[in-house]
Amino acid sequence: MKRWILLLSLALLAASPAAGASGSLPDLPPLPQNRLLDQALQHAKHGGPVKPAPLYRSGFVVKASDGYKVGVSTYGSALYLSVWRGGKMQRTTTNYLARGVARPERLQATFGKFGAVSMRFRQARGQEPTKRCRFGRLFLKQRGLFVGSLRFRGEDGYVSVRLHRAKGAIVRVGKRCHVRRRSSLFDPAELEALFAKPEAAMLTLSRDGVDSTALLAIQAKKSTFITLHEESRGKLAIVRIAIARKPGKLSFNESLTSGRLTAPHPFHGTGRYRAFADGSNTWSGNLSVNFPGFPRFPLTGPSFETLVEVPF
């Protein structure tokens, strides 16, 4: 497997909530902690780069219509509002990232025309922080209630939330500790599948200014299809992610001049690859993906640069 497939696999799989530390923290939204999302924050044109602060996370999660969950949390000195649906094998997420007040006890930011949040944390009376040793560090989790105001309406009203109270938590990182048992988040089968030799793999990329789209498809014993789209809207960065770990079909002819991709839900349609003698190639078809807030997002076209690989 070539280096670019391995590196992008690790980077994008880190965006999966199942792979993050928030997997066992239902009071907080999935943690978007990876290099690509750091770049998206920089694209938001708020100033210098924003690095996630490792000392705490603060936020809450609420249920919305059509099976969506909406969460607000700190991300370094910024806030992100995450809307997602699905589970471990298939998930779609849209993250809206903006600068604001990102303190453990205070969350405040404006998400452009979509809405704003201004909430403060009230610790639950008589409840001591829970302690858990993970990754060699002690995590202190304080549950409580966020009060204030959250109003949010996504693109074309696909999700709408208005509230003044929400149960949430503050998670702080404490001193070092000894893990006595293996974390339930670690799945040896997933690690084996990631490093297993694929039957075929494809990476296609498109960039328009600071906006970009990436699609990674790995056809293997446990196939993986991941797409990520980043865009900047003035002071707001939007990062959309779709992940499917289900059977699909990625195949090429022996000369690698022709290929075809059909991915499982939430993907739709088919992508077609053609390579020519002059070294150029095309990526066409009606392949698309249903992002929260952007259904049938196109994943083919003349702006895409495509790399393919099959084992010898």
Side-chain angles (χ1 to χ4, degrees):
M1 184 186 298
K2 289 183 179 179
R3 179 180 175 85
W4 60 263
I5 294 181
L6 177 59
L7 292 179
L8 193 62
S9 298
L10 293 172
L12 291 179
L13 287 176
S16 169
S22 60
S24 61
L25 303 175
D27 302 290
L28 300 174
L31 178 64
Q33 188 173 8
N34 62 69
R35 180 182 58 81
L36 296 177
L37 287 176
D38 288 340
Q39 292 177 350
L41 275 175
Q42 297 176 32
H43 294 162
K45 300 178 182 179
H46 289 289
V50 177
K51 296 183 178 180
L55 299 179
Y56 70 87
R57 285 191 63 210
S58 177
F60 58 88
V61 173
V62 296
K63 292 183 179 180
S65 58
D66 294 333
Y68 287 113
K69 291 184 178 180
V70 177
V72 177
S73 184
T74 55
Y75 188 70
S77 60
L79 288 181
Y80 72 97
L81 186 147
S82 183
V83 183
W84 74 96
R85 183 166 60 182
K88 183 177 180 180
M89 304 305 293
Q90 178 267 315
R91 182 181 295 253
T92 55
T93 306
T94 296
N95 297 290
Y96 304 82
L97 301 102
R99 287 287 184 93
V101 180
R103 300 172 184 168
E105 292 81 14
R106 186 181 174 194
L107 308 177
Q108 182 175 334
T110 299
F111 299 101
K113 66 178 182 180
F114 303 111
V117 60
S118 179
M119 304 190 79
R120 293 180 179 273
F121 181 76
R122 292 181 180 175
Q123 181 175 320
R125 293 182 179 179
Q127 188 176 79
E128 295 296 324
T130 58
K131 300 179 181 180
R132 185 175 182 182
C133 184
R134 301 184 59 200
F135 314 113
R137 297 297 293 269
L138 188 64
F139 283 73
L140 306 171
K141 181 177 181 179
Q142 180 66 62
R143 289 184 172 89
L145 191 68
F146 281 91
V147 297
S149 174
L150 167 64
R151 57 177 179 82
F152 180 83
R153 186 177 186 273
E155 295 90 332
D156 297 322
Y158 80 95
V159 69
S160 182
V161 176
R162 282 183 175 269
L163 57 84
H164 299 283
R165 306 164 70 87
K167 293 182 179 179
I170 299 174
V171 178
R172 292 181 170 89
V173 180
K175 60 183 180 180
R176 295 187 178 277
C177 58
H178 177 66
V179 181
R180 296 184 179 180
R181 61 185 181 89
R182 189 180 67 187
S183 172
S184 59
L185 291 178
F186 178 74
D187 187 344
E190 288 189 3
L191 185 64
E192 180 182 354
L194 178 62
F195 286 92
K197 195 171 185 178
E199 300 172 13
M202 184 196 75
L203 172 67
T204 183
L205 302 163
S206 174
R207 178 171 290 278
D208 180 12
V210 296
D211 298 349
S212 63
T213 304
L215 169 63
L216 174 67
I218 300 177
Q219 179 79 21
K221 183 178 181 180
K222 289 189 176 181
S223 298
T224 300
F225 304 88
I226 305 172
T227 188
L228 183 147
H229 175 71
E230 303 176 355
E231 61 184 270
S232 177
R233 296 190 178 184
K235 296 182 178 181
L236 183 69
I238 302 178
V239 181
R240 310 179 195 272
I241 304 171
I243 300 175
R245 296 186 177 95
K246 296 181 178 180
K249 186 62 177 177
L250 174 63
S251 59
F252 299 96
N253 61 3
E254 292 186 359
S255 59
L256 292 183
T257 58
S258 177
R260 182 185 180 97
L261 169 63
T262 303
H265 184 79
F267 299 90
H268 302 273
T270 301
R272 296 178 177 84
Y273 172 80
R274 290 291 305 276
F276 305 98
D278 62 359
S280 63
N281 60 63
T282 61
W283 177 240
S284 61
N286 62 348
L287 183 67
S288 64
V289 64
N290 282 343
F291 287 126
F294 205 141
R296 299 290 180 172
F297 181 87
L299 295 174
T300 61
S303 64
F304 282 85
E305 178 185 359
T306 304
L307 303 172
V308 301
E309 181 182 345
V310 295
F312 291 105

